[in-house]
Amino acid sequence: SLLQLVYPYDFRLTEKEKTSICYLSFPDSYSGGLGDTQFSFRLRQSGGQRTTHYEDDGEYNREAPLTLQRESAHYFGYVYFRQVKDSSMKRGYFQKSLVLVSRLPYVNLFQSLLQLIAPEYFDKLEPCLEAVCNEIDQWPPPVPGQTLNLPVMGVVIQVRIPSRVDKPGSSPVKQFNQENLLPAPLVLPSIHELDLFRCFQPVLIHIQMLWELMLLGEPIVVMAPSPTVSSEMVLALTSCLAPLRYCCDYRPYFTIHDSEFKEYTTRTQAPPNIVVGVTNPFFIKTLQHWPHILRVGELRMSGDLPKQVKVKKLAKLKTLDTKPGIYTSYKTFLHKDKTLIKRLLKGIQRKRPSEVQSALLRRHLLELTQSFIIPLEHYIASLMPLQRAITPWKNPPQIRPFRQEDFMKTLEHAGPQLTCVLKGDWLGLYRRFFKSPNFDGWYRQRHKEMTQKLEALHLEAICEANIVAWMKDKSEVEIVDLVLKLREKLVRARCQHLPVKEETLQRVGLYIETIIGSLPEDLQTVLHHH
């Protein structure tokens, strides 16, 4: 495969990235089906940090949900692949792919965009891309909480960018600002949410097990008949912990040519914490030492509940024509939830649309995640120092350390059983979770937010204080020291965008001026230049 064209021309890719993108843009095992397919991949950036057009990722990442942040070390690739009969070609058909590369995980927006662009592009080639890129250049940047109208090729795509303050599980606002747009806009109900019901069709009765495996960051291989099925299943799996962020690595589609192939197939160390989607049967041999392998067939939407795969022993994976199934020796900590399956079955009998079933499924997963995470949130909030312990002239007290055993003790009276009917070994599940990258990621994020909150409370305490009274019996050295500390605090508050009111920052600034004004002139000069 050959990289024919990169647009815009100034987009820098390393040779390694170009090679990877080429291999990831085509199905790596021949599928007889001719026609158009769409799928996604995720690629590790190679060769150092590069500046992006968006210097201020910070602002977007602060306001976007954790699950939709712009990635700094990975690219997403969104592929529209076409294979058509062509007798003039040696193989008897030609294959082409149009690939959109972005740091944003907006799978619905970018795949819808490709559906508009790709057919035109295969027909008209480069001039078409140039025109489209000119239009996309005019699009406003994604601002969390805003609804955007994005014109391209005579169509306006309308989409809302989710925000961190959205209530989890609330459906996107339906009433868009209908500014009598003509032509009527193509409204995307979500920028990134997949049709979970369709993706999880063959494994609906195992949702519980898959949720646990994802929560614990276990290594999982998804073996699928096509990149479309593999990438949708991997993306569906990584989304099922929302609003908790899945902090491990994932590859929606992965080929044997990938630069990480050796790293993942080596038997000298345990498989990494990653979910990887593959289609080449060769992987059955090279990845059979992985602990959990999910083998799925083609997804077919039929009127009744699709055939559900069975859980099987890993030893059964030896043969080449492996039957669909979940090959694992994992025993779930929680008991199966029968009510979910009953409700989905009822939906199938009543011919409910797929999006209604998906909403049901998503709400179930959200409630499960929340039942698990709420006790952790309660406990970590209790580690914050009391507000009255924060005094203006001392460094704020430390956040107390997270002690797993102390947390376990809180579960008797405030555990998941308060919000979740599921029985099972919740304590065992927490113990395993503490060893996973997802706990680590959650804890760091919370700790960072709490540290910033403390800084903010300290600045407010300084604002309320009587500085003149404090200065009465202080030496020049102590006063100069205070000025320098306050300045440093002010700079940090602005750089880190601490949750502090602007008026508080301005008052601290005035304080600094007041203090400097009370000092001898030679010191004033030094401090003003400092």
Side-chain angles (χ1 to χ4, degrees):
S1 48
L2 184 70
L3 193 63
Q4 283 183 328
L5 172 70
V6 177
Y7 207 97
Y9 302 119
D10 59 0
F11 182 59
R12 292 272 164 270
L13 287 168
T14 62
E15 286 311 310
K16 193 171 174 184
E17 286 164 347
K18 285 181 187 166
T19 310
S20 295
I21 289 172
C22 282
Y23 283 122
L24 287 166
S25 304
F26 293 94
D28 74 340
S29 47
Y30 172 72
S31 50
L34 295 168
D36 293 3
T37 51
Q38 286 179 264
F39 56 91
S40 323
F41 61 79
R42 182 165 169 273
L43 171 76
R44 192 186 290 174
Q45 182 179 300
S46 71
Q49 288 295 324
R50 258 155 291 171
T51 51
T52 57
H53 292 294
Y54 310 99
E55 285 309 315
D56 193 28
D57 280 358
E59 193 172 345
Y60 170 81
N61 280 352
R62 272 194 305 282
E63 293 171 16
L66 293 175
T67 46
L68 289 181
Q69 293 191 330
R70 208 180 252 124
E71 295 239 6
S72 59
H74 291 86
Y75 290 120
F76 292 96
Y78 303 96
V79 183
Y80 190 107
F81 166 75
R82 171 169 287 187
Q83 177 171 300
V84 286
K85 279 197 167 68
D86 183 347
S87 49
S88 69
M89 306 290 275
K90 205 160 64 189
R91 301 180 181 167
Y93 55 87
F94 94 76
Q95 292 180 318
K96 265 196 178 172
S97 283
L98 182 62
V99 188
L100 194 153
V101 176
S102 169
R103 294 182 184 278
L104 291 165
Y106 294 170
V107 57
N108 288 353
L109 172 63
F110 292 136
Q111 290 292 13
S112 307
L113 183 60
L114 283 173
Q115 279 168 17
L116 297 170
I117 304 170
E120 278 288 298
Y121 165 70
F122 291 132
D123 201 31
K124 307 199 171 70
L125 301 176
E126 196 172 342
C128 155
L129 271 198
E130 196 168 342
V132 163
C133 283
N134 285 338
E135 283 188 289
I136 294 175
D137 273 346
Q138 305 302 310
W139 287 4
V143 176
Q146 286 194 2
T147 295
L148 305 181
N149 293 314
L150 309 172
V152 62
M153 288 177 56
V155 179
V156 173
I157 302 176
Q158 192 171 75
V159 72
R160 182 180 177 275
I161 309 290
S163 153
R164 196 173 296 190
V165 294
D166 297 345
K167 220 168 106 301
S170 59
S171 57
V173 197
K174 282 284 183 287
Q175 77 301 340
F176 279 120
N177 44 351
Q178 294 295 349
E179 303 149 11
N180 304 336
L181 289 171
L182 287 171
L186 166 65
V187 178
L188 301 183
S190 162
I191 203 160
H192 67 293
E193 286 179 350
L194 299 166
D195 181 342
L196 276 196
F197 181 64
R198 197 178 55 96
C199 297
F200 283 149
Q201 258 183 61
V203 293
L204 289 170
I205 60 171
H206 306 297
I207 280 297
Q208 191 82 28
M209 175 192 261
L210 293 168
W211 175 83
E212 283 187 24
L213 291 173
M214 295 306 292
L215 180 72
L216 300 173
E218 286 285 311
I220 303 176
V221 184
V222 173
M223 294 188 169
S226 70
T228 308
V229 176
S230 117
S231 58
E232 288 199 338
M233 181 63 92
V234 171
L235 291 176
L237 285 169
T238 56
S239 76
C240 74
L241 296 182
L244 186 65
R245 182 183 189 166
Y246 176 71
C247 296
C248 308
D249 204 352
Y250 60 99
R251 296 281 183 273
Y253 171 52
F254 186 77
T255 75
I256 52 179
H257 305 288
D258 209 286
S259 55
E260 277 115 69
F261 178 74
K262 279 200 182 64
E263 194 180 316
Y264 295 163
T265 51
T266 171
R267 293 180 184 237
T268 54
Q269 58 207 57
N273 301 87
I274 177 175
V275 180
V276 51
V278 302
T279 60
N280 194 324
F282 178 68
F283 279 109
I284 293 179
K285 253 205 330 278
T286 56
L287 294 179
Q288 58 184 228
H289 61 296
W290 279 45
H292 319 284
I293 295 178
L294 166 57
R295 169 88 188 198
V296 285
E298 275 298 347
L299 292 185
R300 291 192 181 81
M301 269 314 241
S302 49
D304 43 345
L305 186 69
K307 192 165 184 285
Q308 296 295 293
V309 307
K310 293 190 173 58
V311 174
K312 305 176 181 183
K313 297 225 173 357
L314 276 159
K316 297 245 163 75
L317 195 73
K318 297 264 188 288
T319 51
L320 265 177
D321 59 329
T322 305
K323 302 241 178 330
I326 301 179
Y327 294 82
T328 180
S329 56
Y330 180 79
K331 297 279 174 284
T332 55
F333 286 92
L334 306 180
H335 305 320
K336 218 175 237 169
D337 185 8
K338 302 263 171 34
T339 51
L340 173 71
I341 294 302
K342 285 187 184 137
R343 288 168 76 186
L344 290 171
L345 271 170
K346 194 185 271 177
I348 289 172
Q349 284 153 5
R350 297 190 174 163
K351 300 199 166 26
R352 274 194 207 127
S354 188
E355 54 266 28
V356 175
Q357 297 277 67
S358 276
L360 240 168
L361 201 49
R362 192 169 271 114
R363 195 166 74 237
H364 168 80
L365 289 164
L366 173 72
E367 284 167 4
L368 194 53
T369 301
Q370 284 183 322
S371 297
F372 182 81
I373 235 52
I374 284 168
L376 283 162
E377 298 283 7
H378 279 316
Y379 173 70
I380 202 167
S382 76
L383 303 176
M384 188 80 167
L386 294 172
Q387 195 139 359
R388 63 165 179 267
I390 301 167
T391 57
W393 315 122
K394 283 219 264 314
N395 278 334
Q398 298 284 303
I399 296 163
R400 289 192 296 284
F402 190 107
R403 295 209 164 88
Q404 295 180 8
E405 288 317 309
D406 290 355
F407 165 71
M408 293 305 216
K409 286 184 197 125
T410 66
L411 293 174
E412 286 159 41
H413 49 91
Q417 69 281 3
L418 297 183
T419 50
C420 188
V421 293
L422 281 189
K423 300 277 176 277
D425 180 9
W426 285 95
L427 294 180
L429 188 59
Y430 282 113
R431 283 211 164 84
R432 272 284 282 273
F433 177 68
F434 288 141
K435 300 189 178 95
S436 84
N438 292 328
F439 169 69
D440 189 54
W442 170 82
Y443 176 72
R444 278 170 196 235
Q445 175 70 26
R446 283 291 171 271
H447 198 273
K448 181 175 143 195
E449 286 164 6
M450 285 161 71
T451 308
Q452 294 187 340
K453 178 82 181 131
L454 260 181
E455 277 271 316
L457 289 169
H458 192 216
L459 275 168
E460 272 155 29
I462 290 169
C463 248
E464 302 303 308
N466 181 343
I467 281 214
V468 181
W470 177 84
M471 280 164 53
K472 276 211 174 85
D473 55 349
K474 296 293 180 290
S475 68
E476 269 179 18
V477 174
E478 288 171 291
I479 292 175
V480 169
D481 188 51
L482 176 71
V483 167
L484 298 178
K485 277 196 176 131
L486 285 180
R487 270 194 183 159
E488 193 191 337
K489 271 192 160 317
L490 212 49
V491 168
R492 202 161 52 227
R494 294 215 187 271
C495 292
Q496 295 180 0
H497 300 270
L498 295 183
V500 193
K501 295 190 211 54
E502 182 55 39
E503 59 194 283
T504 305
L505 296 178
Q506 285 175 0
R507 276 179 70 183
V508 174
L510 278 173
Y511 270 8
I512 294 174
E513 290 307 310
T514 310
I515 303 170
I516 292 178
S518 72
L519 291 165
E521 270 183 25
D522 55 335
L523 268 179
Q524 287 193 31
T525 320
V526 171
L527 284 171
H528 277 305
H529 287 127
H530 190 70

